[in-house]
Amino acid sequence: MAIIRPFNALRPHPDRAPQVAAVPYDVVNTEEAQALAAGNPWNFLHVSRPEIDLPEGTPVYSDQVYAKASSNFEKLISECPLETEETPSLYLYRLIMSDHEQIGVVACCSIDEYDRDLIRKHERTRRDKEDDRTRHILVLRAQTGPVLLTYRAQARVDSLVADARKGNPPLYDFVANDDIRHTIWRVPAYDPLIEAFKEVPNLYIADGHHRAASASRARVELKEQGFAFIGNEEYNFFQCVLFPDDQLQILPYNRVVRDLNGMSRDEFLTRVRANFVVAENEPPSPKERGHWSMYLDSRWYGLALPDDATNPAGVVESLDVSILQDRLLDPILGIKDVRTDKRIDFVGGIRGAEELENLVNEGKAAVAFSLYPTTIDDLLKVSDAGEIMPPKSTWFEPKLRDGLLSHQI
């Protein structure tokens, strides 16, 4: 049973929404954030990535950064301005990218249910990233970026979402600078949706594991600081957008490696051919599961497992990202832990194969691997099994925007 709860969103006026809306803090680096926020004092990256307003070289986890986040947030609230919704509400959030459309319910979910694994996970989190967002939440006393949840589609929920849009003008409707259209509706009569979600067996974190873990840690600190604990305080809940599984879109999460682990090109190819069937001059993106594309020395190669290869049996081991790791990245290139090894980097599929080619052609990487995307069904199966997916297995597009709806705690 999925429990969702309305909240009093902190949000900009409709005419300011396009200026406030910002890409998630964790999909851009400092330089990219500076470029996106340049000349726009209301861009939410001034809050989510406040180092962009401090001297170059300021450590991103320093006290000055969190102090700047707080002052920028206060300035945004008072001068943009941002206002708090008078009554609790649910919201609908629609994203349109080219011919892909998805619409989800914006609500708060229980941190208790997250802590008890009733909201299922598929990813381990890094302590340093948790530390950062926990401190960010505590400094702002707000969750400013939603966690992306999914669930197995329910006809009743779909019908209520469609009904909630009828005769209900949107709060926001704009096209961002990356041509993605963002539309948000307020749903004042939310009881039917809340009841319908009680029939949803499970919720799953699709994207935003660090945001969820940080909300849980912030709750612990705020609970310790308080004089009484009722269980209904806002810090016991975290902001989510819930999309049915049949609407989400996963793009591949590709890999680049800086060197060939001391091998020449020919030595490397010989090692690869021992584990894979290798074809030359193949397309830059694999057409089906169980195939990989590899860019090396200005040429694309196709990789596939030999016919006599033993198919991995486990739900995690059988993923394409796992097979590439277990048969090539680890034994041949010496990449043991992709979380910590500085020789490997990851490129979201939205950047396209050209980005992989550029990194190799410019000498920033020696070899690149283009993968077939992990599926939503893969994610649900791994989560249901209580397993953990390999790092950087999924890249969801389009991305939600930060700053449009914030949850104050």
Side-chain angles (χ1 to χ4, degrees):
M1 181 171 70
I3 304 297
I4 64 171
R5 162 179 163 128
F7 67 107
N8 301 73
L10 176 70
R11 60 182 184 84
H13 289 173
D15 59 347
R16 289 284 196 199
Q19 293 173 272
V20 172
V23 296
Y25 77 96
D26 54 354
V27 302
V28 290
N29 59 32
T30 300
E31 292 73 23
E32 291 168 333
Q34 282 176 326
L36 287 171
N40 178 7
W42 311 131
N43 189 290
F44 208 80
L45 286 167
H46 293 288
V47 176
S48 60
R49 296 299 297 264
E51 74 272 15
I52 66 177
D53 296 322
L54 294 170
E56 185 176 351
T58 301
V60 293
Y61 299 152
S62 64
D63 291 345
Q64 303 99 294
V65 170
Y66 299 101
K68 192 64 175 175
S70 178
S71 63
N72 283 352
F73 193 43
E74 291 173 2
K75 180 180 179 180
L76 192 66
I77 291 172
S78 62
E79 297 183 15
C80 182
L82 306 182
E83 293 186 353
T84 302
E85 200 83 70
E86 291 185 3
T87 57
S89 298
L90 298 180
Y91 300 84
L92 305 180
Y93 192 152
R94 185 183 67 188
L95 297 140
I96 298 177
M97 183 176 77
S98 300
D99 57 355
H100 173 81
E101 178 177 341
Q102 61 189 69
I103 183 165
V105 177
V106 188
C108 281
C109 291
S110 166
I111 290 177
D112 274 335
E113 293 192 357
Y114 167 83
D115 288 343
R116 290 159 52 204
D117 288 325
L118 297 178
I119 296 175
R120 296 184 174 176
K121 315 167 183 69
H122 69 265
E123 181 180 303
R124 288 194 180 95
T125 52
R126 284 175 46 181
R127 187 71 180 188
D128 59 337
K129 290 190 174 183
E130 276 189 35
D131 291 344
D132 168 49
R133 283 305 107 172
T134 300
R135 191 171 179 187
H136 195 265
I137 290 171
L138 290 171
V139 164
L140 303 186
R141 290 298 298 263
Q143 302 151 1
T144 58
V147 176
L148 175 62
L149 297 186
T150 190
Y151 58 93
R152 289 185 171 88
Q154 304 281 316
R156 176 63 177 154
V157 174
D158 289 348
S159 176
L160 288 169
V161 166
D163 289 345
R165 293 161 55 194
K166 294 176 182 176
N168 183 12
L171 292 174
Y172 310 131
D173 188 13
F174 63 91
V175 177
N177 55 8
D178 56 1
D179 295 327
I180 295 172
R181 184 176 177 182
H182 301 261
T183 312
I184 292 179
W185 293 263
R186 180 170 171 262
V187 185
Y190 49 73
D191 285 344
L193 266 174
I194 290 175
E195 292 302 312
F197 267 98
K198 290 180 181 178
E199 302 301 316
V200 174
N202 295 107
L203 299 177
Y204 302 81
I205 297 181
D207 199 12
H209 284 80
H210 286 93
R211 295 181 189 228
S214 300
S216 176
R217 284 181 54 189
R219 190 268 287 262
V220 171
E221 293 200 29
L222 292 170
K223 184 178 177 181
E224 290 176 352
Q225 294 172 13
F227 295 103
F229 178 76
I230 301 173
N232 203 38
E233 297 88 351
E234 287 297 328
Y235 60 69
N236 292 294
F237 304 88
F238 64 105
Q239 186 196 163
C240 307
V241 186
L242 304 97
F243 290 96
D245 64 331
D246 58 1
Q247 291 185 21
L248 288 181
Q249 174 177 253
I250 300 180
L251 301 184
Y253 217 153
N254 300 317
R255 277 88 168 115
V256 294
V257 180
R258 300 189 193 287
D259 59 70
L260 297 181
N261 200 23
M263 292 176 283
S264 69
R265 170 186 170 277
D266 290 341
E267 289 170 334
F268 171 67
L269 281 173
T270 297
R271 292 284 305 276
V272 173
R273 287 191 173 100
N275 287 351
F276 295 88
V277 176
V278 180
E280 297 188 10
N281 300 317
E282 289 294 296
S285 297
K287 301 300 183 185
E288 58 182 319
R289 187 169 185 156
H291 291 74
W292 301 260
S293 295
M294 179 177 74
Y295 190 68
L296 175 71
D297 198 20
S298 302
R299 180 179 297 177
W300 281 103
Y301 296 83
L303 309 182
L305 291 179
D307 291 338
D308 59 355
T310 302
N311 292 322
V315 64
V316 174
E317 291 78 8
S318 62
L319 298 173
D320 281 3
V321 289
S322 298
I323 295 171
L324 183 69
Q325 175 66 29
D326 295 341
R327 296 179 67 96
L328 197 159
L329 296 180
D330 180 354
I332 299 176
L333 290 174
I335 306 291
K336 302 293 183 184
D337 187 347
V338 298
R339 291 181 179 86
T340 59
D341 199 314
K342 302 299 184 185
R343 295 170 52 230
I344 191 169
D345 208 347
F346 305 89
V347 181
I350 192 68
R351 297 179 183 265
E354 287 185 4
E355 178 70 7
L356 301 179
E357 294 175 1
N358 290 338
L359 290 169
V360 174
N361 293 342
E362 294 168 6
K364 296 177 181 177
V367 62
F369 300 93
S370 174
L371 285 77
Y372 190 77
T374 303
T375 67
I376 290 290
D377 190 53
D378 290 330
L379 184 152
L380 298 182
K381 286 179 178 177
V382 170
S383 300
D384 284 337
E387 300 279 354
I388 299 297
M389 296 185 85
K392 312 296 185 183
S393 294
T394 55
W395 181 275
F396 287 89
E397 285 289 348
K399 299 289 186 188
L400 300 164
R401 289 299 195 261
D402 284 0
L404 293 175
L405 301 169
S406 295
H407 176 222
Q408 295 174 293
I409 60 172

